[in-house]
Amino acid sequence: MIVQIQEGSSTETGTPVLTLEPMWRRFLTGDWIILRCDAGRELHSVRYKWFVNNNIKEFSEKIYTIEAAGIEHNGEYRCQTLTQTTADSNSILVRVSVPVSCPSISSDLKEPAVSIGDHFPIRCTSENGTLPINLMLYHDHHPHPLRNTTVVDSRTATFHVTVPPDGEGAAYSCGAANAVAHVINCSEPLVLTVSGPTGKFALQVGGSAVAAVLLIVFLLLFAVCKLHHKERHQDTSGSQSRRDTSSPNHDEIVYSVVQAKKKEGGSVRTRREPQESDSRVTYASLMYLETPKVREASARGEEENGSSIYQNFQRR
């Protein structure tokens, strides 16, 4: 309470003086207040009249007592003494301050899920308390407020919030203070679930991560293509090796020189010419020589010409 006392007239003149007990500058709700109207000298048959905010009170005693102060007792007090003359006392301004109440918290969000970088309003409202009131917004129960503002003609403050990238969840709460009370982090928390970034903010925050992911994808694709190429090369080599095993090519050396075989007296005679020592034949030629017709032709030719029909088969 703030007490304003105006000096009255001298007690010798009979003008009453209004006093206050206790002489506090501030009263809280529930306090005991005593107002005393003193005429200044002993007068017989004195009557008293009390005024609060210029309204006459139905009370005629010398002492005006307020047993439990409330906001309804705020105002300007004065008294009169009624004798043969009427005189007004000085005035006293009584103010009863109400401690600020714990504010409530609210938001326009329909769902508790938000994304990093989202913008939304949060309102803190204190229903009781003597104005002005300082309303505060807290983040994750931190002892120092994230934002604060003072309201003088309203009990609600609106805070515009951007979700920071600092965790998987966020909790906001409200606090308030006025001249006689201070309450912090007292509201029910507004708990939000924070997901990944969206929109332009997401591009700014996750640009490097996107580039890294693209690089990894490119390297994986390159490795897969290289592995596929290697498997195809191995398949081709295996097929070539199988072909070489079944049908030797012309690079394989089978024999140096092949001479005709001739039966003489139940024995087999093989002749090899010295100049043919470096000659080679192919696998196909040998297969041809193995046929019965060739063997018969070989026998006839050697009988007629005295030499083998087999010539040096050169590497093709």
Side-chain angles (χ1 to χ4, degrees), residues 24-35:
W24 292 346
R25 296 186 59 84
R26 178 181 297 123
F27 287 94
L28 301 180
T29 54
D31 283 345
W32 187 289
I33 302 174
I34 298 175
L35 293 154

Side-chain angles (χ1 to χ4, degrees), residues 251-297:
D251 291 329
E252 291 184 308
I253 300 174
V254 181
Y255 290 98
S256 60
V257 177
V258 178
Q259 296 294 339
K261 297 179 181 181
K262 182 178 179 181
K263 286 185 178 181
E264 292 181 355
S267 63
V268 177
R269 183 172 58 87
T270 303
R271 187 175 50 151
R272 179 173 178 176
E273 298 297 334
Q275 66 272 18
E276 295 175 344
S277 59
D278 296 329
S279 301
R280 291 169 293 180
V281 297
T282 64
Y283 178 81
S285 300
L286 292 175
M287 293 297 100
Y288 178 73
L289 290 174
E290 290 297 325
T291 61
K293 291 182 179 181
V294 172
R295 288 196 294 270
E296 293 176 0

Side-chain angles (χ1 to χ4, degrees), residues 20 42-43 61 100 115 119 125 129 150 157 182 193 206 222 229 271 280 303 310 315:
L20 178 69
E42 293 295 331
L43 297 175
E61 299 295 328
V100 66
S115 299
H119 305 276
T125 302
T150 300
H182 187 187
T193 302
F222 178 77
H229 178 73
R271 187 175 50 151
R280 291 169 293 180
E303 292 176 354
Y310 299 115
R315 179 180 175 183

Side-chain angles (χ1 to χ4, degrees), residues 6 51-54 73-78 91-95:
Q6 298 178 357
F51 298 87
V52 179
N53 296 325
N54 293 323
H73 297 116
N74 286 334
E76 182 183 27
Y77 288 76
R78 62 186 178 86
S91 63
I92 292 180
L93 186 62
V94 174
R95 290 296 185 210

Side-chain angles (χ1 to χ4, degrees), residues 216-230:
I216 293 173
V217 171
F218 173 77
L219 293 176
L220 288 175
L221 290 175
F222 178 77
V224 170
C225 291
K226 189 173 181 179
L227 180 62
H228 182 66
H229 178 73
K230 183 177 180 180

Side-chain angles (χ1 to χ4, degrees), residues 53-291:
N53 296 325
N54 293 323
N55 296 318
I56 299 175
K57 301 293 291 184
E58 297 295 330
F59 186 75
S60 60
E61 299 295 328
K62 180 179 181 178
I63 299 174
Y64 187 95
T65 302
I66 301 173
E67 295 182 355
I71 56 174
E72 68 275 10
H73 297 116
N74 286 334
E76 182 183 27
Y77 288 76
R78 62 186 178 86
C79 65
Q80 281 183 352
T81 54
L82 303 177
T83 57
Q84 294 177 350
T85 60
T86 300
D88 292 333
S89 72
N90 57 296
S91 63
I92 292 180
L93 186 62
V94 174
R95 290 296 185 210
V96 178
S97 296
V98 179
V100 66
S101 63
C102 180
S104 60
I105 189 168
S106 61
S107 176
D108 294 335
L109 294 174
K110 296 180 179 179
E111 299 291 338
V114 294
S115 299
I116 296 174
D118 282 355
H119 305 276
F120 59 93
I122 294 179
R123 285 180 291 274
C124 297
T125 302
S126 182
E127 297 294 343
N128 297 305
T130 300
L131 298 172
I133 296 174
N134 184 29
L135 291 167
M136 296 161 284
L137 179 67
Y138 295 85
H139 179 240
D140 286 342
H141 304 287
H142 196 275
H144 300 291
L146 177 68
R147 307 272 181 83
N148 69 87
T149 187
T150 300
V151 292
V152 295
D153 55 357
S154 173
R155 295 187 175 275
T156 299
T158 301
F159 301 97
H160 297 278
V161 177
T162 300
V163 180
D166 59 355
E168 298 181 353
Y172 294 89
S173 58
C174 293
N178 66 356
V180 294
H182 187 187
V183 286
I184 63 172
N185 274 333
C186 62
S187 71
E188 288 292 328
L190 176 64
V191 180
L192 303 176
T193 302
V194 180
S195 59
T198 58
K200 182 178 179 181
F201 186 83
L203 295 178
Q204 295 174 351
V205 173
S208 59
V210 171
V213 170
L214 291 177
L215 178 60
I216 293 173
V217 171
F218 173 77
L219 293 176
L220 288 175
L221 290 175
F222 178 77
V224 170
C225 291
K226 189 173 181 179
L227 180 62
H228 182 66
H229 178 73
K230 183 177 180 180
E231 290 176 350
R232 290 185 60 186
H233 179 69
Q234 290 177 348
D235 291 343
T236 304
S237 300
S239 300
Q240 183 64 35
S241 178
R242 288 192 296 271
R243 288 197 302 271
D244 292 345
T245 302
S246 60
S247 301
N249 57 26
H250 60 276
D251 291 329
E252 291 184 308
I253 300 174
V254 181
Y255 290 98
S256 60
V257 177
V258 178
Q259 296 294 339
K261 297 179 181 181
K262 182 178 179 181
K263 286 185 178 181
E264 292 181 355
S267 63
V268 177
R269 183 172 58 87
T270 303
R271 187 175 50 151
R272 179 173 178 176
E273 298 297 334
Q275 66 272 18
E276 295 175 344
S277 59
D278 296 329
S279 301
R280 291 169 293 180
V281 297
T282 64
Y283 178 81
S285 300
L286 292 175
M287 293 297 100
Y288 178 73
L289 290 174
E290 290 297 325
T291 61

